Amino acid sequence: QSVLTQPPSVSGAPGQRVTISCIGNNSNIGSGFDVHWYQQFPGTAPKLLIYGNSNRPSGVPDRFSGSKSGTSASLTITGLQADDEADYYCQSYDNRLRVFGGGTTLTVL
Amino acid sequence: QVQLQESGPGLLKPSQTLSLTCSVSGDSIRSGGFFCSWIRQYPGKGLEWIGYIYHSGITFYNPSLKSRVAMSVDTSKNFFSLEVTSVTIADTAVYFCATDVGYDGFDHWGPGILVTVSS
């Protein structure tokens, strides 16, 4: 049972926009801790996609954006592409404890 | 560019001790100022943060595993290690080492190592 709640799966057609939610509570996201997002392809390590709620590391396309409000956060992908098909995880904190969401599998139809 | 690489046995029997090492290259654990974490991923997806060690040796472990976990760091050889005692089948997972600087997310990961616990 993951601390942060994500939908198990989302899907969209190429070119469309999808949003993945990440729901926490007042001991983690709601306490003001930042949310980060990771992208993971099968057989590889997760890669930092969004940090500090809405910042993109160098090299991440601006099709990926993040936001946070209250006890939840979301990752939005616009202009969906076939190679966006992957698992996506949110991560935040409960004081010093690092906590993850259960992951969302994105399928590009 | 920081690179991490896990190493250690991939197969254990129940009750044995899991021991993994993460070698760091491209930056110094001491001067880099990052927290060295271990994270595991169960078959079927879920990620669980196990704990971190700082270059000073300060550790913080996930309470869910705290009684069975120990981490250490060797700043002269630039690696850090994980031990999990009394493993069970439930400890079967891919184990990743990763680093973060405070609260900015895990920006570097090792490729991961599959550890299977089986009798």
Side-chain angles (χ1 to χ4, degrees):
Chain A
Q1 192 81 355
S2 299
V3 174
L4 306 178
T5 301
Q6 298 180 234
S9 63
V10 297
S11 62
Q16 283 189 335
R17 163 183 164 150
V18 296
T19 298
I20 299 171
S21 60
C22 175
I23 300 171
N25 58 39
N26 286 323
S27 69
N28 41 65
I29 298 175
S31 287
F33 290 110
D34 284 345
V35 177
H36 316 300
W37 291 90
Y38 301 86
Q39 178 187 56
Q40 185 182 31
F41 296 105
T44 69
K47 167 195 163 187
L48 185 62
L49 190 67
I50 297 286
Y51 69 95
N53 305 317
S54 59
N55 302 292
R56 286 184 305 277
S58 173
V60 174
D62 60 6
R63 301 186 298 103
F64 295 90
S65 62
S67 65
K68 174 194 155 184
S69 178
T71 58
S72 66
S74 61
L75 171 71
T76 298
I77 309 171
T78 58
L80 208 56
Q81 298 179 2
D83 57 7
D84 294 333
E85 192 161 284
D87 291 330
Y88 294 84
Y89 295 87
C90 60
Q91 180 246 313
S92 187
Y93 305 86
D94 187 328
N95 286 308
R96 289 180 293 168
L97 189 66
R98 278 67 169 156
V99 293
F100 285 95
T104 299
T105 298
L106 168 63
T107 301
V108 180
L109 302 171
Chain B
Q1 175 74 342
V2 175
Q3 292 188 313
L4 309 177
Q5 180 68 55
E6 305 88 351
S7 60
L11 181 62
L12 292 171
K13 296 186 185 305
S15 80
Q16 289 185 325
T17 296
L18 179 159
S19 296
L20 298 176
T21 294
C22 180
S23 298
V24 180
S25 60
D27 198 357
S28 161
I29 289 176
R30 181 186 293 125
S31 60
F34 38 74
F35 294 83
C36 303
S37 282
W38 289 94
I39 296 161
R40 65 184 181 181
Q41 185 166 35
Y42 299 106
K45 215 157 67 173
L47 289 166
E48 179 180 39
W49 179 76
I50 299 169
Y52 70 59
I53 185 164
Y54 197 52
H55 65 79
S56 60
I58 292 174
T59 56
F60 183 67
Y61 304 140
N62 190 324
S64 67
L65 284 157
K66 186 177 179 180
S67 62
R68 299 193 294 129
V69 167
M71 295 182 186
S72 60
V73 63
D74 186 327
T75 55
S76 65
K77 296 181 180 177
N78 226 35
F79 72 84
F80 58 103
S81 301
L82 168 72
E83 282 198 348
V84 180
T85 60
S86 304
V87 298
T88 71
I89 293 173
D91 293 307
T92 294
V94 175
Y95 287 75
F96 295 100
C97 56
T99 60
D100 66 349
V101 182
Y103 292 84
D104 283 342
F106 296 105
D107 51 354
H108 296 103
W109 295 68
I113 182 169
L114 173 62
V115 177
T116 302
V117 180
S118 174
S119 55

